[in-house]
Amino acid sequence: RASSSESRGALIVLEGLDRSGKTSQSSRLLSYLEGLGHSTELWRFPDRNTSVGQMISAYLSNKSHLDDRTIHLLFSANRWEKRSLMETQLKNGTTLIIDRYSYSGVAFSSAKGLDIEWCKAPEVGLLAPDIVLYLDIPPEKAAERGGYGGERYEQLEFQRKVAKCYQAQCDSSWKIIDACQPIEDIEKQLQDAGGPSPIFGLVDLWS
Ligand code: TMP
């Protein structure tokens, strides 16, 4: 344990397939928590602003080609380079809402056929979230939503595999939310589930 839980912020992770609504729901949750007077920040991974993030961005837009394990480790490094800031903010009492985290890393890479334990290994020692909010959408429904934006992984067949790889990681810390409901209903369920009430001190993934 790295800190007492008393004054720290919560680490809230949103996960889901591409086009599951994570990004707009993350913003809504941010406004809600800010409205309650909580110091809150919205982060996302990949963080495309860092130099590692720019390599990832080039890969995702098919401007570069990288070996599957290489890109996996870059996604992981992109989280590691933010770990100490993450810990500082949480200890300062700021709640962090994170749009994608290690579970995306493991789901998308194991969907390519990489061994799941190999995929998890570089994530060990990153901070474990207090809650994972999974926006659950059938891959077919996600594909219908205004079309995919043309990035590397936005293909139905691949997203079907990713959905299975998410399921393989789901445990009791996950809250599964039906992402086919009206936007306001989803928003309400996230508010009910995602309030900043960390019970434990900070712990590492996957402990
Ligand atoms: P984004 O659309 O949320 O910015 O994510 C970009 C893509 O990168 C998305 O298809 C999911 C994928 N991804 C990984 O493959 N590994 C990771 O570790 C993360 C965070 C995202």
Side-chain angles (χ1 to χ4, degrees):
R1 286 198 184 168
S3 80
S4 96
S5 61
E6 277 150 35
S7 56
R8 78 166 172 92
L11 184 54
I12 301 169
V13 167
L14 269 80
E15 286 284 2
L17 296 180
D18 289 288
R19 309 290 297 155
S20 58
K22 285 182 306 340
T23 303
S24 58
Q25 288 295 342
S26 308
S27 314
R28 285 166 181 251
L29 187 57
L30 172 70
S31 309
Y32 172 73
L33 294 178
E34 282 177 337
L36 292 179
H38 296 292
S39 162
T40 311
E41 290 178 11
L42 172 52
W43 290 19
R44 66 179 308 152
F45 289 111
D47 177 342
R48 302 187 192 215
N49 299 310
T50 70
S51 51
V52 173
Q54 281 161 22
M55 291 172 73
I56 294 171
S57 192
Y59 171 84
L60 288 171
S61 56
N62 294 305
K63 292 194 185 87
S64 72
H65 296 279
L66 294 169
D67 166 82
D68 290 344
R69 287 180 177 79
T70 307
I71 184 64
H72 181 79
L73 294 172
L74 288 178
F75 273 114
S76 184
N78 187 232
R79 285 182 279 279
W80 275 103
E81 62 185 342
K82 304 302 291 266
R83 188 199 183 283
S84 65
L85 183 59
M86 196 180 261
E87 183 168 350
T88 303
Q89 296 300 73
L90 291 169
K91 285 183 173 170
N92 282 343
T94 298
T95 284
L96 301 179
I97 301 168
I98 319 264
D99 181 353
R100 294 193 184 283
Y101 197 49
S102 302
Y103 312 97
S104 284
V106 172
F108 281 77
S109 290
S110 60
K112 296 174 179 173
L114 297 182
D115 176 71
I116 191 160
E117 295 307 323
W118 187 90
C119 292
K120 281 180 166 184
E123 307 296 318
V124 173
L126 291 170
L127 296 172
D130 295 292
I131 190 163
V132 178
L133 302 169
Y134 183 73
L135 293 186
D136 191 22
I137 188 169
E140 298 72 23
K141 279 263 166 11
E144 286 166 11
R145 286 190 168 179
Y148 287 138
E151 282 206 323
R152 186 181 284 265
Y153 297 142
E154 295 176 341
Q155 293 171 24
L156 181 54
E157 242 348 280
F158 186 66
Q159 298 279 327
R160 284 194 180 115
K161 290 184 188 154
V162 174
K164 290 209 177 90
C165 294
Y166 267 126
Q167 278 163 23
Q169 296 180 77
C170 175
D171 66 25
S172 58
S173 71
W174 289 39
K175 170 95 180 149
I176 313 290
I177 288 151
D178 177 1
C180 296
Q181 302 173 92
I183 288 174
E184 290 74 20
D185 294 359
I186 299 171
E187 180 179 7
K188 181 77 180 51
Q189 286 168 28
L190 292 183
Q191 291 172 358
D192 292 344
S197 52
I199 304 165
F200 305 111
L202 291 172
V203 293
D204 289 346
L205 271 180
W206 262 273
S207 56

